Amino acid sequence: MRHSPFTFHDAVARASSAVVSLRTLSQRDDRGQQKIGLGSGVIFDARGYIVTNHHVIDGASEILVILADGRQAIAERIGEDPETDLAVLRIALPNVPYLDFDEAPEPRIGDVVLSIGNPYGVGLSVSMGIVSATDRALNTSSFEAFIQTDAAINPGSSGGALVNTEGQIVGITSAFFSAKSDGINFALPVDLVRFVTERIVRDGRVIRGWLGVSGGLLSPTLIERYDLVSTGGVQITQVYPNSPAEKAGLREGDIIVRVNGQAIGDLPKFIRWVSRLEPGEQLTLEVLRQNADGKREHLRLSVTLAVKP
């Protein structure tokens, strides 16, 4: 039988061996019944580490992992990061297939991508779409940016792999974020997934650096007044008591334009950048401030990040 010349069979075959099915059991309720949950995950390390969505395993008392080759194991919980909807599990099985986070190039708008899930009791599920956007922030306070795609991400496939046409992983799908966006689907990009999983494997959780401010987007008027078209900036709207920012001398109304000599862009990019820094890291902030006479001051402030509460 002649096969269609237009196929992604090889890419799916390559990636799907590392996409696992998850079956979760929660604690018994007042009626003595247990809740069963379904989801997917991706093996990313030969030692049996699996990444999935936090909401897939949240509240579970037992997590059963079923590999594509039929093997099964009860997973150990390594750690979770609810803010990015990611969690890491581990299974004690030899010779597990896995996908390498460092293999794929960054996806581009217009690239064809495949969403691969493995819902328990359903089996392999594949959908196709394109990358509609990259670096998509869902709100200005979001820690992370997302890959937006029109490839369907069904609840049972949440925590599965978003791969390119070579079968290389570019993201972890999340029905949790997609459900908030009226049919638009999102995946957590592989650079974020790598950062979170490395921290969880190392520390059991993600310990983020904390500056201790709230910020706002710059208005067009301020951008023009302070000539910030090329650098961008973040206007401080609140400085938290006893925070690193307060100790460094930051004030409400200040505009941060550079960190360690680099332009910081807009508010979402600044938040994501700081959230990936370690507590104890020292930063030099270049700040614009309007003094009591209405004149503009250029300040350089040193700050040492603390552990995010």
Side-chain angles (χ1 to χ4, degrees):
M1 180 181 295
R2 186 177 181 181
H3 295 290
S4 168
F6 184 76
T7 177
F8 299 115
H9 172 82
D10 290 344
V12 173
R14 177 185 181 188
S16 61
S17 62
V19 179
V20 301
S21 175
L22 302 180
R23 179 178 182 265
T24 65
L25 293 176
S26 64
Q27 298 287 348
R28 296 186 183 275
D29 60 21
D30 295 338
R31 295 174 294 177
Q33 296 179 330
Q34 283 188 311
K35 182 180 177 181
I36 298 174
L38 308 177
S40 301
V42 177
I43 306 173
F44 65 90
D45 189 284
R47 295 170 292 177
Y49 286 108
I50 297 168
V51 62
T52 186
N53 289 151
H54 168 259
H55 77 265
V56 169
I57 56 94
D58 187 27
S61 56
E62 182 179 282
I63 306 165
L64 176 67
V65 179
I66 303 96
L67 274 65
D69 62 15
R71 288 183 291 169
Q72 300 184 10
I74 298 298
E76 172 192 3
R77 301 171 85 118
I78 302 301
E80 303 162 37
D81 186 43
E83 290 176 297
T84 55
D85 192 35
L86 290 171
V88 175
L89 313 171
R90 190 179 184 185
I91 53 174
L93 289 176
N95 302 317
V96 294
Y98 66 95
L99 294 178
D100 187 348
F101 289 156
D102 295 321
E103 189 175 43
E106 290 188 11
R108 304 164 301 175
I109 295 173
D111 282 354
V112 173
V113 286
L114 308 170
S115 171
I116 304 177
N118 195 356
Y120 178 82
V122 176
L124 183 66
S125 175
V126 182
S127 60
M128 183 188 77
I130 65 168
V131 174
S132 307
T134 59
D135 202 33
R136 179 74 83 198
L138 299 188
N139 55 66
T140 57
S141 62
S142 174
F143 277 140
E144 306 303 339
F146 299 85
I147 299 169
Q148 181 183 323
T149 177
D150 61 354
I153 300 170
N154 301 312
S157 295
S158 196
L162 190 74
V163 304
N164 61 20
T165 55
E166 299 296 319
Q168 300 166 324
I169 187 165
V170 298
I172 296 295
T173 59
S174 177
F176 175 77
F177 288 113
S178 298
K180 297 181 175 182
S181 305
D182 194 22
I184 301 173
N185 301 300
F186 292 97
L188 299 147
V190 74
D191 66 317
L192 160 65
V193 178
R194 183 191 304 109
F195 167 81
V196 171
T197 54
E198 285 177 351
R199 297 308 189 275
I200 290 177
V201 169
R202 186 188 71 185
D203 302 321
R205 63 190 179 103
V206 180
I207 303 173
R208 291 183 168 89
W210 183 59
L211 180 59
V213 297
S214 293
L217 297 172
L218 292 179
S219 67
T221 301
L222 280 176
I223 291 174
E224 182 178 359
R225 180 188 303 168
Y226 293 121
D227 191 23
L228 300 176
V229 174
S230 60
T231 62
V234 171
Q235 185 168 36
I236 302 304
T237 58
Q238 183 178 4
V239 177
Y240 294 100
N242 300 314
S243 66
E246 183 184 63
K247 295 173 183 177
L250 273 173
R251 301 177 187 172
E252 292 181 16
D254 285 349
I255 298 174
I256 303 174
V257 292
R258 287 185 176 84
V259 179
N260 293 345
Q262 296 184 357
I264 62 175
D266 58 14
L267 177 60
K269 290 181 180 178
F270 176 66
I271 292 172
R272 293 195 298 272
W273 188 75
V274 171
S275 73
R276 296 196 188 191
L277 298 177
E278 299 272 7
E281 287 197 46
Q282 293 186 327
L283 306 178
T284 299
L285 308 180
E286 295 183 32
V287 175
L288 296 179
R289 176 181 295 169
Q290 184 171 301
N291 62 25
D293 299 326
K295 296 181 179 180
R296 182 173 59 184
E297 294 181 283
H298 292 262
L299 306 174
R300 293 171 63 90
L301 304 177
S302 295
V303 59
T304 301
L305 298 180
V307 176
K308 184 180 183 299

